[in-house]
Amino acid sequence: MTDLESLRGEFIRRFAAQPSFYHAPGRVNLMGDHTDYNAGFVMPAAIQFRTTVAAAPRRDQRLRVHSTNFDETVELSLVGARERRGGQATHWVDYVAGVAQALRDYGVAMHGADLLIHGEVPLGSGLSSSAALEVAVALALSTLAGRQLEPLTLALLCQRAENEYVGNRCGIMDQFASACGRAGHALWIDCRSLDMRLVPLQQHFASVRLVICNTMVRHQLAGGEYNRRREECEQGVRVLAAQMPGIEALRDLTPELLQAHRNELDPLIYRRCRHIVTENARVCDAAVALQAADLDGFGALMRESHQSLRDDYEVSCDELDLMVRLAGQVPGVYGARMTGGGFGGCTVNLVQSSAVPRFSAKVADGYAQATGHRPEIYVCEAVDGAAAVVFQ
Ligand code: GLA
């Protein structure tokens, strides 16, 4: 838990004003990776790691922003065109500036503000620290401007900030989960219609837990490869749409239809498409399995999903594959898969509650021995999405 009292103390020392507080969580994705930007299905849950923003209005049109994680203060002007600070590499303040711009473009009458940002989502771990930052800042700035935006609107504005300003062509999943998460539930999201259904998790938590294993590695190629996968999917859609009018996204294909058109596609593009099409089916099957408390069935879908991400979509890496293999060797594990964009970051594991201590010890030791990195292991709690924090 974030210590709000000490954040408040720091805010007053730095900015000589009383702040209000806002926070937004990271997420873990249980099923459906790289499907969101193909108008498909995903099943994330918001998790207990949050980014907290303490904020107070200013009289001018400036943002003064301090990050406790980077121990750095940056000032931005809200008037005129803004340049990205990061150049090629993204700088944390690019997310803040992008959100401010997206809010302004949406017609929010922005004030200047002092912001103190404190993130507890492990950075670069694939648990959406950037979405948590964006959504928490968007909630803070829109509230200070006197606007109450719907959670879904906040999510869409934050996605736009990341797409258009930061230059990462991410889908909607992370911002959606951070803004709309529900305690004790995963969210089944249709990324075309943006409909959401709640999938209860709490009822299973007596017998099983979702455990996240952090490989502690992040490979540099992640950003470029992500955008390249999107282009490969778009290429597949272009070829298939020429044969089958009405195909607008890979979401519109069944595995059978894709198989029937296999010869029209370059083999690599075919594999990319096969991942998306089978993964969409797995999200729907996984929701049914969870509702029916079919944990073996859910675990089998997790294993298939990992294989598909590894072999067809090629977004896994040695460390993630090792982590999944180690998990598979521990009794009491139903299934394991990488979660999120890939190329490092975390796996998510469905583990019998009584087996969690043994699981954590075995996986941590095996991973540390093989790689020299001590992994972090977190037992997941599904929490509510972004909210103003009432100071007790
Ligand atoms: C990143 C993106 C999401 C999604 C995942 C992969 O987290 O931000 O939109 O595409 O990768 O599922």
Side-chain angles (χ1 to χ4, degrees), residues 69-86:
N69 300 76
F70 295 95
D71 191 20
E72 189 183 10
T73 306
V74 178
E75 283 207 33
L76 304 167
S77 168
L78 287 174
V79 269
R82 270 177 300 282
E83 302 252 308
R84 271 189 49 186
R85 299 241 331 174

Side-chain angles (χ1 to χ4, degrees), residues 12 45 51 54 60 67 76 117 123 140-141 144 178 181 186 192 194 198 215 225 272 278 311 338 351 359 363:
I12 293 170
T51 292
D60 58 13
S67 159
L76 304 167
I117 300 177
L123 295 178
L141 292 178
L144 290 188
S178 182
R192 172 174 276 160
L194 300 179
L198 295 177
T215 62
E225 288 294 316
R272 303 294 190 247
T278 57
D311 301 338
M338 56 159 274
V351 185
F359 170 87
V363 170

Side-chain angles (χ1 to χ4, degrees), residues 3 34 38 88 104 114 137 145 162 177 221 232 306 308 347:
D3 178 357
H34 293 272
N38 287 295
Q88 275 306 304
R104 198 175 60 169
D114 290 328
V137 167
E162 188 149 348
L221 41 77
E232 289 165 349
H306 186 78
S308 177
T347 63

Side-chain angles (χ1 to χ4, degrees), residues 7 31 55 133 158 170 223 287 302 314 344:
L7 275 188
M31 191 65 70
L133 168 61
C158 291
C170 66
M302 292 175 93
E314 295 182 277

Side-chain angles (χ1 to χ4, degrees), residues 27 29 32-37 42 126 128 162 168 170-175 226 340-342:
R27 62 99 189 94
N29 189 24
D33 273 308
H34 293 272
T35 43
D36 60 352
Y37 54 81
V42 292
S128 297
E162 188 149 348
N168 173 10
C170 66
I172 188 63
M173 170 168 70
D174 304 348
Q175 292 81 4
Y226 185 91

